[in-house]
Amino acid sequence: MGESSVEKLIPKVSLTDTFWSQYQDIVKKNMIPYQWQALNDQLPDAEPSHAIENFRIAAGESDGEFYGMIFQDSDVAKWLEAVAFSLETEANPELERLADEVIDLIGRAQRSDGYLNTYYTVKEPEKRWTNLKDNHELYCAGHLIEAAVAYYKATGKETFLHIMSKYADYIDTVFGEEEGKLSGYPGHQEIELALVKLYDVTGNENYLKLSKYFIDERGKQPHYFDIEKNKRQNTESWNEDTYAYHQAHQPVREQSEAVGHAVRAVYMYTAMADLAAKTNDESLKAACKRLWENVTRKQMYVTGGMGSMVAGEAFSFNYDLPNDLSYTETCASIGLVFWANRMLNLEANSDYADIMELALYNGTISGMDLDGKKFFYVNPLEVLPEASEKRPDKRHVKPVRQSWFGCACCPPNLARLIASIGHYIYSQKDNDLFVHLYMGNETAFDIEDVHVAVKQKTDYPWDGKVVINIDPDREHLFSMAFRIPGWAKGTQIKINGERLDQQALTKDGYVYIKRQWKKNDQVELNFPMVAERIYSNPQVRHNVGKVAIKRGPVVYCLEQADNGENLHAIKLPRSAELTAQFEGSLLNGVVVITADAVRIDENQWDQALYQATSVQTVPNPIKAIPYYAWCNREQGEMLVWINEA
Amino acid sequence: MGESSVEKLIPKVSLTDTFWSQYQDIVKKNMIPYQWQALNDQLPDAEPSHAIENFRIAAGESDGEFYGMIFQDSDVAKWLEAVAFSLETEANPELERLADEVIDLIGRAQRSDGYLNTYYTVKEPEKRWTNLKDNHELYCAGHLIEAAVAYYKATGKETFLHIMSKYADYIDTVFGEEEGKLSGYPGHQEIELALVKLYDVTGNENYLKLSKYFIDERGKQPHYFDIEKNKRQNTESWNEDTYAYHQAHQPVREQSEAVGHAVRAVYMYTAMADLAAKTNDESLKAACKRLWENVTRKQMYVTGGMGSMVAGEAFSFNYDLPNDLSYTETCASIGLVFWANRMLNLEANSDYADIMELALYNGTISGMDLDGKKFFYVNPLEVLPEASEKRPDKRHVKPVRQSWFGCACCPPNLARLIASIGHYIYSQKDNDLFVHLYMGNETAFDIEDVHVAVKQKTDYPWDGKVVINIDPDREHLFSMAFRIPGWAKGTQIKINGERLDQQALTKDGYVYIKRQWKKNDQVELNFPMVAERIYSNPQVRHNVGKVAIKRGPVVYCLEQADNGENLHAIKLPRSAELTAQFEGSLLNGVVVITADAVRIDENQWDQALYQATSVQTVPNPIKAIPYYAWCNREQGEMLVWINEA
């Protein structure tokens, strides 16, 4: 296979980080085995998945009917991708054997022309590509391609990559501008970013071109979704919202505002950023930057959550961020991590890494409990269990995490993200080595012909001290660029014990240290981690008069378990000191924030619903825990945005 | 026809009130003629009603199919009732002739056994009474009965009353405990309160018993809705929520919490209070009081609105009163007026009249524009037009009133309420004459054999001075009881110019003045009307840190037309003086409230969505208008609960 023609592949990273190692262990010990059981219908309490069986049927090795969602194949893909990332960090021959068997099965389920989709193969072989809008064929292909690339990079084995290259080659014969090809694009974006990955490992430019084709075709008039609908003689009617749901309301280069299904949107933006970087496409880059600004300045929750409404699991409109109605799907925050990562490839600006870090420590991992056994689709910023139970308009907001879902989208997506967390720490551009995230790990880079071992030590996210050892096998001139987190005020940097005046070296949030790096060099970064109050832009009507608590990258919340019922009656005075303290026995070890808040004295209020006098507040100490760790004790209320006194 | 055996009928009241006369004129000049056109499909822009045509078809005088909602007959009933109330206050021979023709048509549509429902007569004559839960037969009967009683009382003509008595007699043969009768009750309560009215004018106790039967049968096990469903061999499944939607989850005497469809609930509570009063039924009275306390202390908006969710147009749970998601149907507030009126008959306590007044000046008339041409079903306390447009979960919250609806429930309900507003001012119990509401009017009562003319003069709701002339045709000893509104602090009362020390005379919010009333006696009441801040019980999480403005019975709101966009950025300091001033040229003449508020300075905020520092506020004078009058200028935001500084 060819090397990437554009950028160095990310090197393997061994995690030594306490925080993320816990999560990676959960993925290895719980999630991958559990999901394997799910895929094979071995879970007594869960709806059957049938995903592996679907491949057996498609391969002609089992009788029976296709069963499951039309995108059931993607569950197998996500499992394989998580397995690949896991093998990358730790060998596991038994697991690898299992994966090889599944890959062989997938190969046998592939049609001779390369086509590979169990639903259509089993159920409607004559209807391939007749409903791109709803039927997720290209979406499943994308996930399988991503898995194949990951498996190749983890194991060096090429079987899966060949299978998926063959499928991609076939897809390339189906779609395109040429006479006789379909001028379509997927209803659920995903293959676009996968084809870029396939290009990266194969060097085959057709994949890059096909990805770009899907991106550029989107939103053109007449709408392809209408064209294929008419071909199907379907009379379903839809309106402009339907196109917006799929981000197909305009050509993507003209889009300036994030609309529609949040996961589809960020997967697409990820591919757009990839393509812009790899093809130096300025207008695509401009669109990416406009959309990034729109999302992160107008449509993102403070946790890195996106999608403020359940209808369409979608963006609503600028500054509309209700805390009790949000959808904020785990997968959307995961997609935001992908997108931020690609924006960093496009240009080194710490804004992207700040948001990536925000989503990683908050809106993504809030999607699972600390045991990795229960999951949220929806990550609300405010929960009242009675409202979730009694109000249909809040029924999507679950007050407790659920076991594996029938539509198993978020849990395996979390598994693959966590298993590959090491990929997001560094990037290398020419001779510049970027450090975007801080977490304990060991890795190495080749800078020209010099091998540079890099080792990070830190108690992040609880402590802002980071020690990085840079160990070239011989002295060499190159730049290392360290991100200064946006939340850090008064950062101090030392090189081999000597204070560095980083002011002049800082550009777009990165401190560039260009020097003759030599053996045993050590950089110490001190990012003061202070619990601080966060306010919303006054245009966010839901958060006026409210304050959130954040310390370093971690957003905090109040839970009923610590603070009693009716969390809204609590008011945090602006003058109250926020005190941070590590509690090793709580929630696998977290820094909690306490403060002398007050509470509206409900006891002073008689039975009236309304009265002309308000009541006094009484002292009420509060204890806030990291948002990601909520809902790991008894069920109860939760609140991120606290009323301010 | 017999006289009421239980209570005096309310005497005719001639309105001289500026405020309500405007509304009554609108009903006479606009709504009744407009609705007549609607019923006859003469409105070019509206969906055809077909309601009159349905009666023609049922009478065999026209060919064609039934068209419209299954409860289309009730539109004709509500029109006739509004006509009756209107004729009661002002003769209109042409209108009366029209009504007589409709009544004759209704008579001709009646089956020989008394049955009267155009849907079943035309469409499914063999399926009468097979789906009480959904199909509104008894609901339509109830509205027709109410109309017949009103028409009889207004005109003395008995035709309609005979038609409806015949129908009621027939219904009495269908439902009851006796062998062969159905043990059912309506899915939409209404006939229960109507049968009490029919009993009042006819003295026929069967109607009272039948009403009581429907009330007592409700909620018994096994559920009648299940029994009839099984008979229909229907396999639709429903759960406990379905019974609660219809208030049939428990026997009504055991109910303590308002649940389900708000209009159904309050219509039922109205009948319960009626029955409790007329039969001295203590356990029913206790249930009424429990439910009253629950609604008014835990589930009512500050405007007298009820129903905090669109799903089921229903109550949700205690203290759940979101301002931007409410249903707060106009008809529910109208029903609250009915219920409060009946609670006053049960016991003289100003709590009931306070709520009745609150609903009348706020949550009911907010349902129409000042021209009576456009209407709200939903009366929200907070509107952002973009949210209504873009969020399906807020689509029920219309930012502008709509023309006549396909399901024409609220507008004709408003018409009949306004046309009969005079009925709610007074009540007479034995020799006690109660004054519940203050508005300009002239009327007269017979107390024993003495004729007492009563005349009120006031500029209510803008001024709290009320002058009441009591003019018995000869000196006579009796009590007059004047309500002291709950909002009035420091009320002064004079009799013939002399201050009265009312303290000792006050019981449950009424000042009882028992004396030898003589010709030209004059009582002057002065209720200080001061603009004041209203706070919510701290259990109402949506209103913590917020304040509403109220003056006398009128609740205020901020509109974009006066205060610009993003009303949430406005904060009203606790120390800011609220200044009231009458503006004769604004919104047909209203008292506006101005104050020196502040506003979060959006200009100080850069583009970030979140930041660690908040911004200062800047002075921002505000102008609040009466809530009922909102949305009579250009479309824009509206807000009742204002952030407090």
PDB file of all heavy atoms in Angstrom, chain B residues 314-328:
ATOM      1  N   ALA B 314     -52.787  19.496  27.925  1.00  0.00           N
ATOM      2  CA  ALA B 314     -53.029  18.938  29.251  1.00  0.00           C
ATOM      3  C   ALA B 314     -52.205  19.563  30.361  1.00  0.00           C
ATOM      4  O   ALA B 314     -51.187  20.221  30.132  1.00  0.00           O
ATOM      5  CB  ALA B 314     -52.740  17.447  29.196  1.00  0.00           C
ATOM      6  N   PHE B 315     -52.672  19.316  31.579  1.00  0.00           N
ATOM      7  CA  PHE B 315     -51.853  19.520  32.763  1.00  0.00           C
ATOM      8  C   PHE B 315     -50.655  18.569  32.694  1.00  0.00           C
ATOM      9  O   PHE B 315     -50.760  17.466  32.149  1.00  0.00           O
ATOM     10  CB  PHE B 315     -52.672  19.198  34.019  1.00  0.00           C
ATOM     11  CG  PHE B 315     -53.815  20.141  34.281  1.00  0.00           C
ATOM     12  CD1 PHE B 315     -55.122  19.770  34.000  1.00  0.00           C
ATOM     13  CD2 PHE B 315     -53.577  21.402  34.820  1.00  0.00           C
ATOM     14  CE1 PHE B 315     -56.189  20.637  34.247  1.00  0.00           C
ATOM     15  CE2 PHE B 315     -54.640  22.280  35.067  1.00  0.00           C
ATOM     16  CZ  PHE B 315     -55.941  21.894  34.780  1.00  0.00           C
ATOM     17  N   SER B 316     -49.538  18.958  33.279  1.00  0.00           N
ATOM     18  CA  SER B 316     -48.401  18.040  33.327  1.00  0.00           C
ATOM     19  C   SER B 316     -48.200  17.545  34.756  1.00  0.00           C
ATOM     20  O   SER B 316     -48.637  16.452  35.103  1.00  0.00           O
ATOM     21  CB  SER B 316     -47.130  18.679  32.781  1.00  0.00           C
ATOM     22  OG  SER B 316     -46.841  19.885  33.452  1.00  0.00           O
ATOM     23  N   PHE B 317     -47.635  18.366  35.618  1.00  0.00           N
ATOM     24  CA  PHE B 317     -47.495  17.984  37.018  1.00  0.00           C
ATOM     25  C   PHE B 317     -47.290  19.247  37.854  1.00  0.00           C
ATOM     26  O   PHE B 317     -47.075  20.338  37.303  1.00  0.00           O
ATOM     27  CB  PHE B 317     -46.354  16.972  37.221  1.00  0.00           C
ATOM     28  CG  PHE B 317     -45.005  17.390  36.708  1.00  0.00           C
ATOM     29  CD1 PHE B 317     -44.067  17.974  37.555  1.00  0.00           C
ATOM     30  CD2 PHE B 317     -44.668  17.210  35.365  1.00  0.00           C
ATOM     31  CE1 PHE B 317     -42.824  18.363  37.074  1.00  0.00           C
ATOM     32  CE2 PHE B 317     -43.412  17.600  34.887  1.00  0.00           C
ATOM     33  CZ  PHE B 317     -42.498  18.180  35.749  1.00  0.00           C
ATOM     34  N   ASN B 318     -47.322  19.083  39.151  1.00  0.00           N
ATOM     35  CA  ASN B 318     -47.298  20.235  40.045  1.00  0.00           C
ATOM     36  C   ASN B 318     -46.064  21.109  39.831  1.00  0.00           C
ATOM     37  O   ASN B 318     -44.951  20.601  39.740  1.00  0.00           O
ATOM     38  CB  ASN B 318     -47.336  19.780  41.496  1.00  0.00           C
ATOM     39  CG  ASN B 318     -48.684  19.180  41.855  1.00  0.00           C
ATOM     40  OD1 ASN B 318     -49.679  19.423  41.176  1.00  0.00           O
ATOM     41  ND2 ASN B 318     -48.719  18.399  42.915  1.00  0.00           N
ATOM     42  N   TYR B 319     -46.293  22.384  39.773  1.00  0.00           N
ATOM     43  CA  TYR B 319     -45.252  23.412  39.653  1.00  0.00           C
ATOM     44  C   TYR B 319     -44.528  23.366  38.313  1.00  0.00           C
ATOM     45  O   TYR B 319     -43.505  24.025  38.147  1.00  0.00           O
ATOM     46  CB  TYR B 319     -44.230  23.299  40.800  1.00  0.00           C
ATOM     47  CG  TYR B 319     -44.853  23.454  42.164  1.00  0.00           C
ATOM     48  CD1 TYR B 319     -44.858  22.399  43.071  1.00  0.00           C
ATOM     49  CD2 TYR B 319     -45.452  24.652  42.535  1.00  0.00           C
ATOM     50  CE1 TYR B 319     -45.442  22.544  44.324  1.00  0.00           C
ATOM     51  CE2 TYR B 319     -46.040  24.801  43.784  1.00  0.00           C
ATOM     52  CZ  TYR B 319     -46.026  23.734  44.669  1.00  0.00           C
ATOM     53  OH  TYR B 319     -46.606  23.874  45.899  1.00  0.00           O
ATOM     54  N   ASP B 320     -45.001  22.582  37.367  1.00  0.00           N
ATOM     55  CA  ASP B 320     -44.378  22.543  36.039  1.00  0.00           C
ATOM     56  C   ASP B 320     -45.094  23.563  35.159  1.00  0.00           C
ATOM     57  O   ASP B 320     -46.131  23.252  34.566  1.00  0.00           O
ATOM     58  CB  ASP B 320     -44.485  21.133  35.460  1.00  0.00           C
ATOM     59  CG  ASP B 320     -43.781  21.027  34.108  1.00  0.00           C
ATOM     60  OD1 ASP B 320     -42.583  21.374  34.055  1.00  0.00           O
ATOM     61  OD2 ASP B 320     -44.427  20.624  33.132  1.00  0.00           O
ATOM     62  N   LEU B 321     -44.551  24.750  35.094  1.00  0.00           N
ATOM     63  CA  LEU B 321     -45.219  25.838  34.384  1.00  0.00           C
ATOM     64  C   LEU B 321     -44.243  26.565  33.450  1.00  0.00           C
ATOM     65  O   LEU B 321     -43.977  27.761  33.596  1.00  0.00           O
ATOM     66  CB  LEU B 321     -45.824  26.823  35.409  1.00  0.00           C
ATOM     67  CG  LEU B 321     -46.936  26.212  36.281  1.00  0.00           C
ATOM     68  CD1 LEU B 321     -47.193  27.063  37.522  1.00  0.00           C
ATOM     69  CD2 LEU B 321     -48.220  26.042  35.475  1.00  0.00           C
ATOM     70  N   PRO B 322     -43.710  25.828  32.462  1.00  0.00           N
ATOM     71  CA  PRO B 322     -42.783  26.468  31.523  1.00  0.00           C
ATOM     72  C   PRO B 322     -43.517  27.526  30.702  1.00  0.00           C
ATOM     73  O   PRO B 322     -44.633  27.292  30.234  1.00  0.00           O
ATOM     74  CB  PRO B 322     -42.325  25.308  30.636  1.00  0.00           C
ATOM     75  CG  PRO B 322     -43.409  24.288  30.728  1.00  0.00           C
ATOM     76  CD  PRO B 322     -43.968  24.418  32.123  1.00  0.00           C
ATOM     77  N   ASN B 323     -42.890  28.665  30.562  1.00  0.00           N
ATOM     78  CA  ASN B 323     -43.562  29.781  29.894  1.00  0.00           C
ATOM     79  C   ASN B 323     -43.533  29.686  28.381  1.00  0.00           C
ATOM     80  O   ASN B 323     -44.360  30.269  27.710  1.00  0.00           O
ATOM     81  CB  ASN B 323     -42.905  31.089  30.340  1.00  0.00           C
ATOM     82  CG  ASN B 323     -43.083  31.314  31.828  1.00  0.00           C
ATOM     83  OD1 ASN B 323     -44.209  31.293  32.337  1.00  0.00           O
ATOM     84  ND2 ASN B 323     -41.988  31.482  32.548  1.00  0.00           N
ATOM     85  N   ASP B 324     -42.576  28.937  27.857  1.00  0.00           N
ATOM     86  CA  ASP B 324     -42.415  28.908  26.401  1.00  0.00           C
ATOM     87  C   ASP B 324     -42.998  27.636  25.776  1.00  0.00           C
ATOM     88  O   ASP B 324     -42.940  27.476  24.568  1.00  0.00           O
ATOM     89  CB  ASP B 324     -40.933  29.027  26.025  1.00  0.00           C
ATOM     90  CG  ASP B 324     -40.088  27.952  26.670  1.00  0.00           C
ATOM     91  OD1 ASP B 324     -40.543  27.320  27.645  1.00  0.00           O
ATOM     92  OD2 ASP B 324     -38.966  27.717  26.195  1.00  0.00           O
ATOM     93  N   LEU B 325     -43.524  26.739  26.590  1.00  0.00           N
ATOM     94  CA  LEU B 325     -44.061  25.473  26.068  1.00  0.00           C
ATOM     95  C   LEU B 325     -45.536  25.294  26.416  1.00  0.00           C
ATOM     96  O   LEU B 325     -46.124  24.273  26.070  1.00  0.00           O
ATOM     97  CB  LEU B 325     -43.292  24.287  26.661  1.00  0.00           C
ATOM     98  CG  LEU B 325     -41.834  24.132  26.252  1.00  0.00           C
ATOM     99  CD1 LEU B 325     -41.173  23.037  27.080  1.00  0.00           C
ATOM    100  CD2 LEU B 325     -41.722  23.783  24.765  1.00  0.00           C
ATOM    101  N   SER B 326     -46.093  26.251  27.096  1.00  0.00           N
ATOM    102  CA  SER B 326     -47.438  26.055  27.634  1.00  0.00           C
ATOM    103  C   SER B 326     -48.470  25.878  26.541  1.00  0.00           C
ATOM    104  O   SER B 326     -48.287  26.327  25.410  1.00  0.00           O
ATOM    105  CB  SER B 326     -47.832  27.263  28.468  1.00  0.00           C
ATOM    106  OG  SER B 326     -48.000  28.399  27.646  1.00  0.00           O
ATOM    107  N   TYR B 327     -49.582  25.219  26.888  1.00  0.00           N
ATOM    108  CA  TYR B 327     -50.702  25.172  25.970  1.00  0.00           C
ATOM    109  C   TYR B 327     -51.685  26.287  26.332  1.00  0.00           C
ATOM    110  O   TYR B 327     -52.107  27.041  25.477  1.00  0.00           O
ATOM    111  CB  TYR B 327     -51.364  23.798  25.966  1.00  0.00           C
ATOM    112  CG  TYR B 327     -52.182  23.599  24.711  1.00  0.00           C
ATOM    113  CD1 TYR B 327     -51.547  23.384  23.495  1.00  0.00           C
ATOM    114  CD2 TYR B 327     -53.563  23.699  24.736  1.00  0.00           C
ATOM    115  CE1 TYR B 327     -52.273  23.252  22.327  1.00  0.00           C
ATOM    116  CE2 TYR B 327     -54.300  23.568  23.570  1.00  0.00           C
ATOM    117  CZ  TYR B 327     -53.664  23.348  22.374  1.00  0.00           C
ATOM    118  OH  TYR B 327     -54.378  23.221  21.226  1.00  0.00           O
ATOM    119  N   THR B 328     -52.020  26.372  27.633  1.00  0.00           N
ATOM    120  CA  THR B 328     -52.824  27.493  28.130  1.00  0.00           C
ATOM    121  C   THR B 328     -53.919  27.894  27.140  1.00  0.00           C
ATOM    122  O   THR B 328     -53.977  29.035  26.682  1.00  0.00           O
ATOM    123  CB  THR B 328     -51.928  28.718  28.411  1.00  0.00           C
ATOM    124  OG1 THR B 328     -50.975  28.855  27.324  1.00  0.00           O
ATOM    125  CG2 THR B 328     -51.152  28.551  29.694  1.00  0.00           C
TER     126      THR B 328
END
